[in-house]
C-alpha cells in the first residue's frame, strides 16, 4: 500500500518461535494472514488522528475568538471592553488651582468637571508609636577573652553520612550550630534526627520521615520507619568511624530497608570532644560585619602571628582594626580592648573622632565556638540584637504582651525576631525594627480613626526592649477631612475618610497636604482645586485599532481553514511509516497532511458568513462616517477597514455619539416591534456568543471541538465522542487480531510438532535401511 509516496508496512511482535522444523518464516506468514485486521486498525488510527488534528484546528479558531471576546465584548472588567463605561469615560484628567500640588486624581468620570476640592482640614494617619531610639555606638565582649586557654571542639561537627534511597544518593552534613550537640550518644541521636528531619527529599517528604536514629547503650541504630520497600542504604561518609562503623575506606554499604543498620563497635565517647588551643582554633577564622548596609569578611590572624606576639589580644585587635579600615573607611569603626580583657567595636565620626550614634555596625556571622570564646554572638550590634533571646531582657516563660486587649504569650527562648513575628501575626498592629535608627515602629493595621495602639496590661519586662511602652497610653489614628463642592451647589460638603485616597463619583482622589481652612471652618475665599476631564482620544483610538486588527485575524484564519482544499494523497502516517522518516521529514509531511481538514465544514462556513456581516446595512453609512467600514475587496472576506483620522476626529467632536453608534442595542416597543439597530459592538458580541460562548450553553464551535476555557467541554464535545467510538472499534479489532494470531500460532505449532515427529520417525527407520 502506498500513502503520499510512502510504502506501508506492518511490524507486529508475535509470541513464541517458529520454523525450527518446517523452515517456514512463521512470523511473516502470520503478518500476511492477519493483514486484513491490522490494516483496519491502521485506518481507524488514521481516522482518529485526523479528528484530533481537526479538533486542534477548530480550537485554534476558538482560542482567538475567546481571547477577542475576553478583551472586547464579554468581560466587563477588561479595560478595553467596548461595553465598559470606563473605556469611553473621561479619563484624561487635569488638576487646576493654587493648591493642585496637594491633589492627584485618576479614574474616569463624566461628572469630574462638576467636582471641586474646596479644602483639606487634616490628613488621615494610621495610629503609630515608636520607641526611643537605641543610640549606642558600640558593642563589646561579655567578658575576658582567654587567648591562652582551650576551646572544646565536638569532633563530629561538619562530618557527613551518605544514604541511598529509592535510587538516589543523599550526603547529609552534621552542622555545628545552636540545637546541635555531639558530646554524648544521646545528643548525637537527637542531632541526627533533627538533621534528617530538615533534609528534604521531596516537597512532602524528608529523610526524617524515612530514617529514625535510636540509641542502644553506646551504639546508634538506623531503621526504616517509612514502611516502604524502596532501597534504603547507608553508603558511607566521614562520620562513620566515630560512630563505630569502622573507617570509610573499609566500610561496606549496609542495606537497611528491612532491618536496622547498626555499627559493630560502641561509640568512643572519649573521642567526641577535643580541647584545641585558642590560637590554633581561631587562626584564619572569618567574622562577617555589616556597617551601614555594607558587608565585609574580616579574618582572624594566623596562628604564627598570635604565637609570636607577647600581647595576643592586642595582635587580634590590630589585625581586625586594619581590616575594618580597609573595608569600611579609615576611622569609621574603632576596635579596642576592654578593661575586662575583651574587645569592643565602636562606630566613629571620622571628622570629629567622636562616637557616631547615627551609624549601624552588626556582627553578622562567625564560627559559633570562636564567638563564644570571645564573648560575642551572632547579631551583636550597637543598636538592638534582634537574634538575642528574650531571657536576656528579663522575660520568662508565660510573659504576656497585651496589645489592644489581645494577649500574646512569649517564652524565655523566644528572640526579638520571633517577638516581632508573633506581634505581626497575632495582633491588629504591625511592628518593624529600623536598624539605622534603632527604633521599633508600631503601626495599626486599621486605617484612620479606626486604628488604635494600647499596651495596657503588658508585663513590665517588655519595657526593657520597648522603652516607654508602659506610659504610652492609647494612641489613636485620625481620618482625613476634606471639603468637596459638587456642581450646582455653593456649599462644600465635609467628607471623612480613613485614608488619604478615596473615591468620589468614579474618580480616585489622593490628597497630600492641608489647605482651604481657616481653623475649623472652610475658607470660602480660598481657591478650590478643580478638575477637567476629557475622553482619552489616543487610548480609545489605539484600542479600537487593535480590536479591528484582532478581528481581521480571526476572519483571515477562519477563511483560510474553510477554503483550503486537502491533498488526498496525504493522510496520517502509521507507526511503521514514522519509523522510516526523520523528525524533519515527519514535520514536513504532517504540515501537508493537516491542510484542508476544515474545508467545507458547515460550522466554519457559517462562521465566515457571520463574520462578514457584523456591519449591517442599517448602520453602514453612520459607521463609515466615523471611520469604520467593511472592505470592498471580495478577497478580504468582510475584513473591517479602520480610518484612524476619521475616528479620532469623530471622538473629539462628539464622543457620546461615537459610543452610541458602537454600543447601542436594538429594543422593542410595547407592541413587540424592533426599534433601532444593534451597534457594531453588539453584533460582535452576538457572533462571539453564538460560536464560542463558554459559560452556560456552549457556542457551536465549543460544542463541536471543546475548549480549555470551558473545562466540561473537554470531554463533552462532538469530536471527542467520535474519537471515543473509534477507540472502541480499535479495541475490538485489536481483540480480533489477538485471537487470529493465537489461532495461527497454534496451527503453526501443531504443524511444527507433526513435522518434528515425522522427522524423528524417518530418522529412526533410516537406521534399518542397510539390513534388508
Amino acid at each position: 500500500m502506498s500513502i503520499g509516496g510512502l510504502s506501508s508496512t506492518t511490524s507486529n511482535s508475535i509470541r513464541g518461535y517458529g520454523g525450527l522444523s518446517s523452515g517456514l518464516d512463521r512470523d511473516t506468514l502470520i503478518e500476511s494472514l492477519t493483514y486484513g485486521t491490522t490494516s483496519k486498525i491502521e485506518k481507524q488510527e488514521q481516522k482518529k488522528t485526523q479528528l484530533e488534528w481537526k479538533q486542534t484546528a477548530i480550537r485554534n479558531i476558538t482560542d482567538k475568538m475567546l481571547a477577542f471576546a475576553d478583551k472586547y465584548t464579554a468581560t466587563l472588567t477588561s479595560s478595553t471592553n467596548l461595553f465598559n463605561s470606563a473605556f469611553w469615560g473621561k479619563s484624561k484628567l487635569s488638576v487646576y488651582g493654587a493648591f493642585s500640588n496637594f491633589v492627584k486624581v485618576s479614574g474616569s468620570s463624566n461628572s469630574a468637571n462638576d467636582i471641586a476640592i474646596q479644602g483639606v482640614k487634616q490628613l488621615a494617619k494610621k495610629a503609630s508609636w515608636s520607641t526611643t531610639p537605641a543610640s549606642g555606638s558600640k558593642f563589646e565582649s561579655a567578658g575576658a577573652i582567654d587567648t591562652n586557654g582551650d576551646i572544646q571542639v565536638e569532633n563530629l561537627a561538619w562530618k557527613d553520612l551518605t544514604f541511598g534511597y529509592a535510587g538516589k544518593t543523599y550526603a547529609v552534613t552534621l552542622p555545628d550550630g545552636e540545637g546541635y550537640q555531639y558530646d554524648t550518644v544521646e545528643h548525637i541521636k537527637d542531632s541526627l534526627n533533627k538533621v534528617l528531619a530538615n533534609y528534604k527529599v521531596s516537597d512532602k517528604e524528608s529523610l526524617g520521615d524515612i530514617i529514625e536514629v535510636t540509641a542502644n547503650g553506646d551504639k546508634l541504630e538506623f531503621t526504616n520507619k517509612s514502611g516502604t520497600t524502596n532501597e534504603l542504604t547507608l553508603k558511607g561518609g566521614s562520620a562513620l568511624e566515630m560512630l563505630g562503623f569502622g573507617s570509610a575506606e573499609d566500610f561496606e554499604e549496609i542495606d537497611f530497608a528491612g532491618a536496622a543498620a547498626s555499627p559493630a563497635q560502641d561509640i568512643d565517647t572519649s573521642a567526641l570532644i577535643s580541647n584545641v588551643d585558642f590560637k590554633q582554633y581561631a587562626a584564619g577564622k572569618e567574622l562577617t560585619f555589616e556597617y551601614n548596609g555594607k558587608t565585609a569578611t574580616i579574618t582572624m590572624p594566623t596562628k604564627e602571628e598570635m604565637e609570636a606576639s607577647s600581647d595576643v589580644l592586642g595582635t587580634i585587635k590590630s589585625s581586625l582594626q586594619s581590616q575594618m579600615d580597609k573595608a569600611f573607611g579609615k576611622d569609621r569603626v574603632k576596635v579596642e580592648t576592654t578593661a575586662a580583657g575583651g574587645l569592643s567595636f565602636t562606630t566613629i565620626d571620622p571628622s570629629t573622632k567622636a562616637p557616631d550614634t547615627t551609624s549601624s555596625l552588626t556582627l553578622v556571622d562567625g564560627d559559633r565556638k570562636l564567638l563564644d570564646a570571645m564573648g560575642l554572638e551572632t547579631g551583636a550590634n550597637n543598636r538592638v540584637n534582634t537574634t538575642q533571646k528574650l531571657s536576656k531582657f528579663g522575660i520568662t516563660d508565660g510573659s504576656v504582651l497585651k496589645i489592644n486587649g489581645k494577649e500574646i504569650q512569649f517564652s524565655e527562648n523566644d528572640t526579638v525576631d520571633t517577638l516581632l513575628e508573633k506581634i505581626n501575626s497575632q495582633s491588629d498592629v504591625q511592628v518593624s525594627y529600623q536598624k539605622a535608627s534603632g527604633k521599633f515602629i508600631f503601626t495599626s493595621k486599621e486605617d484612620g480613626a479606626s486604628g488604635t495602639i494600647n499596651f495596657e496590661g503588658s508585663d513590665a519586662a517588655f519595657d526593657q526592649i520597648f522603652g516607654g511602652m508602659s506610659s504610652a497610653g492609647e494612641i489613636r489614628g485620625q481620618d482625613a477631612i476634606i471639603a468637596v463642592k459638587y456642581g450646582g451647589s455653593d456649599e462644600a460638603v465635609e467628607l471623612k475618610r480613613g485614608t488619604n485616597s478615596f473615591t468620589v463619583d468614579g474618580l480616585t482622589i489622593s490628597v497630600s497636604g492641608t489647605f482651604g481652612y481657616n481653623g475649623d471652618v472652610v475658607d470660602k475665599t480660598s481657591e478650590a482645586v478643580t478638575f477637567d476631564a476629557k475622553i482619552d482620544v489616543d487610548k480609545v483610538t489605539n484600542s479600537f485599532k487593535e480590536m479591528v486588527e484582532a478581528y481581521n485575524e480571526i476572519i483571515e484564519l477562519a477563511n483560510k481553514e474553510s477554503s483550503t482544499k486537502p491533498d488526498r494523497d496525504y493522510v496520517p502516517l502509521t507507526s511503521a511509516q514514522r519509523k522510516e522518516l526523520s523528525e524533519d521529514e515527519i514535520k514536513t509531511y504532517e504540515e501537508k497532511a493537516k491542510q484542508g481538514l476544515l474545508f467545507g465544514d458547515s460550522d466554519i462556513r457559517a462562521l465566515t458568513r457571520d463574520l462578514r456581516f457584523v456591519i449591517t446595512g442599517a448602520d453602514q453609512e453612520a459607521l463609515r462616517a466615523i471611520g469604520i467600514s467593511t472592505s470592498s475587496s471580495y478577497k478580504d472576506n468582510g475584513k473591517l477597514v479602520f480610518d484612524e483620522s476619521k475616528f479620532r476626529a469623530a471622538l473629539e467632536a462628539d464622543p457620546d455619539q461615537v459610543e452610541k453608534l458602537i454600543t447601542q442595542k436594538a429594543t422593542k416597543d410595547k407592541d413587540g416591534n424592533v426599534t433601532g439597530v444593534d451597534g457594531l459592538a453588539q453584533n460582535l458580541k452576538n457572533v462571539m456568543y453564538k460560536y464560542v460562548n463558554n459559560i452556560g450553553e456552549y457556542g457551536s464551535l465549543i460544542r463541536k471541538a471543546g475548549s480549555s476555557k470551558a473545562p466540561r467541554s473537554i470531554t463533552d464535545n462532538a469530536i471527542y465522542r467520535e474519537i471515543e467510538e473509534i477507540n472502541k472499534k480499535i479495541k475490538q479489532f485489536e481483540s480480533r487480531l489477538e485471537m487470529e494470531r493465537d489461532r495461527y500460532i497454534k496451527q503453526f505449532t501443531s504443524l511444527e510438532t507433526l513435522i518434528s515427529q515425522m522427522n524423528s520417525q524417518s530418522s529412526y527407520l533410516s537406521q534399518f535401511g542397510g539390513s534388508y
Side-chain angles (χ1 to χ4, degrees):
M1 182 171 64
S2 175
I3 300 176
L6 296 173
S7 63
S8 176
T9 59
T10 304
S11 176
N12 299 291
S13 176
I14 301 175
R15 301 184 305 278
Y17 299 93
L20 295 178
S21 298
S22 65
L24 298 173
D25 186 345
R26 187 202 67 179
D27 290 358
T28 301
L29 290 170
I30 292 177
E31 284 181 9
S32 298
L33 291 168
T34 58
Y35 175 73
T37 303
T38 55
S39 64
K40 289 177 181 177
I41 293 173
E42 286 178 354
K43 287 178 181 177
Q44 292 299 319
E45 290 284 4
Q46 289 171 320
K47 187 177 180 182
K48 175 183 172 182
T49 299
Q50 278 186 324
L51 280 172
E52 289 171 342
W53 288 348
K54 183 176 181 180
Q55 187 179 54
T56 299
I58 294 174
R59 286 182 180 179
N60 288 339
I61 298 173
T62 301
D63 288 346
K64 270 190 176 295
M65 294 180 70
L66 280 169
F68 181 93
D70 285 346
K71 194 170 183 180
Y72 299 109
T73 64
T75 309
L76 280 177
T77 54
S78 169
S79 61
T80 53
N81 185 285
L82 300 178
F83 298 98
N84 187 341
S85 59
F87 179 78
W88 303 98
K90 295 180 178 180
S91 59
K92 197 168 185 178
L93 301 166
S94 300
V95 185
Y96 299 98
F99 301 102
S100 59
N101 58 314
F102 291 146
V103 181
K104 291 184 178 180
V105 64
S106 61
S108 177
S109 174
N110 291 325
S111 60
N113 295 332
D114 297 325
I115 298 172
I117 306 298
Q118 186 66 52
V120 177
K121 182 178 180 180
Q122 69 180 29
L123 296 174
K125 292 192 298 184
K126 288 188 175 185
S128 180
W129 179 78
S130 62
T131 63
T132 303
S135 58
S137 60
K138 73 176 181 179
F139 62 90
E140 60 185 28
S141 302
I145 301 175
D146 185 3
T147 59
N148 293 314
D150 292 333
I151 294 178
Q152 280 196 339
V153 177
E154 294 171 331
N155 293 322
L156 267 172
W158 302 117
K159 295 194 182 310
D160 60 76
L161 290 171
T162 303
F163 297 94
Y165 175 64
K168 293 184 178 180
T169 299
Y170 301 95
V172 178
T173 300
L174 312 184
D176 177 20
E178 190 169 350
Y180 298 96
Q181 288 180 275
Y182 309 101
D183 54 343
T184 67
V185 175
E186 193 67 22
H187 284 160
I188 295 171
K189 176 207 73 174
D190 293 340
S191 297
L192 279 170
N193 283 324
K194 184 175 180 179
V195 174
L196 294 171
N198 290 330
Y199 202 105
K200 295 290 184 183
V201 297
S202 70
D203 290 340
K204 297 181 179 179
E205 192 176 40
S206 70
L207 283 178
D209 297 319
I210 303 160
I211 303 168
E212 181 177 24
V213 184
T214 56
N216 183 7
D218 282 345
K219 288 184 179 180
L220 295 180
E221 287 189 347
F222 298 82
T223 57
N224 176 7
K225 71 174 186 178
S226 67
T228 65
T229 57
N230 285 327
E231 173 194 358
L232 183 59
T233 60
L234 176 60
K235 301 173 75 72
S238 59
L240 288 172
E241 190 163 1
M242 292 194 68
L243 295 179
F245 285 99
S247 67
E249 292 78 11
D250 300 329
F251 179 76
E252 293 185 5
E253 186 173 328
I254 300 175
D255 184 343
F256 63 106
S262 183
Q265 301 174 350
D266 288 348
I267 293 175
D268 182 2
T269 55
S270 66
L272 295 176
I273 302 295
S274 295
N275 290 318
V276 180
D277 174 68
F278 174 88
K279 293 183 283 294
Q280 179 181 342
Y281 186 85
K285 289 284 192 300
E286 294 180 342
L287 303 175
T288 303
F289 289 85
E290 181 188 274
Y291 172 77
N292 291 340
K294 182 179 180 180
T295 301
T297 299
I298 308 298
T299 306
M300 294 287 286
T302 65
K303 178 184 176 185
E304 291 74 19
E305 287 173 331
M306 288 187 280
E307 287 181 339
S309 173
S310 59
D311 180 8
V312 176
L313 190 60
T315 298
I316 295 173
K317 182 204 76 169
S318 298
S319 175
L320 298 184
Q321 182 67 71
S322 64
Q323 293 179 73
M324 289 282 195
D325 287 345
K326 186 175 181 180
F328 303 128
K330 187 176 175 62
D331 296 331
R332 292 192 178 277
V333 177
K334 190 171 185 179
V335 186
E336 295 179 291
T337 56
T338 65
L343 292 174
S344 69
F345 301 84
T346 308
T347 53
I348 299 293
D349 181 343
S351 61
T352 64
K353 302 297 191 270
D356 176 13
T357 59
T358 69
S359 292
S360 171
L361 179 68
T362 303
L363 175 55
V364 177
D365 198 10
D367 182 90
R368 181 174 63 90
K369 293 189 181 301
L370 175 61
L371 292 180
D372 287 345
M374 295 176 70
L376 298 170
E377 59 186 357
T378 301
N381 61 67
N382 61 333
R383 294 286 188 261
V384 175
N385 183 358
T386 58
T387 64
Q388 273 188 334
K389 290 186 177 181
L390 299 188
S391 58
K392 294 191 177 182
F393 298 94
I395 293 171
T396 58
D397 290 344
S399 292
V400 171
L401 177 61
K402 196 171 184 179
I403 304 178
N404 293 339
K406 169 71 175 179
E407 291 187 351
I408 308 172
Q409 289 196 344
F410 296 92
S411 73
E412 60 184 20
N413 287 323
D414 276 315
T415 65
V416 176
D417 281 328
T418 59
L419 165 67
L420 303 185
E421 289 171 7
K422 285 186 177 181
I423 292 173
N424 290 335
S425 63
Q426 297 181 33
S427 77
D428 56 0
V429 302
Q430 189 79 19
V431 61
S432 61
Y433 174 61
Q434 292 184 342
K435 185 188 294 185
S437 67
K439 283 185 176 184
F440 290 95
I441 310 295
F442 290 82
T443 307
S444 172
K445 294 177 182 176
E446 295 284 345
D447 289 329
S450 297
T452 60
I453 298 174
N454 193 335
F455 301 107
E456 185 178 340
S458 297
D459 291 351
F462 288 97
D463 252 348
Q464 296 291 316
I465 304 171
F466 309 125
M469 180 189 72
S470 58
S471 59
E474 182 182 75
I475 300 99
R476 182 173 289 276
Q478 70 177 30
D479 287 342
I481 301 177
I482 310 102
V484 180
K485 188 184 289 186
Y486 294 91
S489 173
D490 291 330
E491 295 298 321
V493 178
E494 273 195 346
L495 304 179
K496 289 187 177 183
R497 297 292 184 265
T499 66
N500 294 315
S501 182
F502 50 93
T503 301
V504 178
D505 290 352
L507 295 177
T508 299
I509 300 173
S510 300
V511 293
S512 58
T514 59
F515 64 91
Y517 271 81
N518 188 358
D520 291 335
V521 181
V522 176
D523 184 358
K524 294 183 179 181
T525 65
S526 176
E527 183 180 359
V529 173
T530 58
F531 308 107
D532 179 39
K534 295 179 181 179
I535 189 169
D536 191 335
V537 174
D538 289 338
K539 185 195 77 171
V540 174
T541 302
N542 291 334
S543 295
F544 212 87
K545 180 181 179 181
E546 290 172 2
M547 184 274 290
V548 169
E549 290 171 352
Y551 184 74
N552 287 341
E553 286 178 7
I554 295 171
I555 288 179
E556 188 171 337
L557 177 61
N559 278 280
K560 178 183 177 183
E561 291 288 0
S562 66
S563 62
T564 301
K565 294 181 179 180
D567 188 333
R568 303 300 180 187
D569 290 334
Y570 286 83
V571 295
L573 297 168
T574 65
S575 57
Q577 290 169 339
R578 293 178 71 88
K579 291 177 182 179
E580 297 177 12
L581 303 176
S582 67
E583 288 186 10
D584 288 341
E585 288 173 329
I586 292 172
K587 181 180 178 181
T588 301
Y589 180 91
E590 289 190 342
E591 284 175 356
K592 188 73 175 176
K594 289 177 181 178
Q595 292 177 1
L597 290 173
L598 300 183
F599 179 73
D601 184 277
S602 58
D603 288 301
I604 303 301
R605 281 207 316 270
L607 171 63
T608 59
R609 182 177 61 250
D610 288 343
L611 290 171
R612 186 177 294 121
F613 297 112
V614 290
I615 294 181
T616 62
D619 61 357
Q620 191 173 32
E621 288 306 316
L623 287 173
R624 181 179 285 110
I626 65 170
I628 305 167
S629 60
T630 304
S631 173
S632 58
S633 172
Y634 182 78
K635 292 181 180 180
D636 283 340
N637 297 297
K639 284 184 178 180
L640 297 181
V641 177
F642 182 59
D643 187 326
E644 186 176 335
S645 59
K646 269 190 181 182
F647 186 81
R648 185 183 294 275
L651 270 180
E652 290 173 343
D654 192 349
D656 293 337
Q657 179 62 18
V658 174
E659 178 184 0
K660 181 182 177 182
L661 275 173
I662 291 171
T663 62
Q664 66 186 346
K665 182 174 174 59
T667 58
K668 293 182 179 180
D669 61 21
K670 62 181 180 179
D671 298 322
N673 299 314
V674 176
T675 60
V677 295
D678 284 338
L680 173 62
Q682 190 61 46
N683 289 334
L684 290 170
K685 182 176 182 179
N686 292 340
V687 172
M688 300 303 151
Y689 183 89
K690 178 179 178 181
Y691 291 96
V692 296
N693 180 52
N694 61 340
I695 300 173
E697 183 180 350
Y698 292 148
S700 60
L701 293 187
I702 292 181
R703 293 198 302 273
K704 186 164 192 172
S707 168
S708 59
K709 294 288 186 71
R712 180 171 54 84
S713 73
I714 297 296
T715 55
D716 183 14
N717 63 75
I719 292 180
Y720 177 85
R721 288 187 286 274
E722 284 188 71
I723 291 173
E724 286 295 284
E725 288 301 315
I726 290 175
N727 284 334
K728 290 178 184 178
K729 289 182 181 179
I730 290 173
K731 286 183 179 179
Q732 292 172 355
F733 285 131
E734 286 176 342
S735 296
R736 181 193 298 179
L737 178 63
E738 190 70 20
M739 292 173 61
E740 289 176 353
R741 285 175 173 169
D742 286 345
R743 185 173 71 251
Y744 288 129
I745 287 172
K746 288 179 183 178
Q747 291 175 355
F748 274 102
T749 301
S750 297
L751 175 62
E752 291 290 332
T753 301
L754 178 61
I755 292 174
S756 177
Q757 289 174 348
M758 293 176 65
N759 287 339
S760 295
Q761 290 177 357
S762 175
S763 176
Y764 175 76
L765 293 173
S766 66
Q767 66 181 318
F768 299 107
S771 303
Y772 295 95

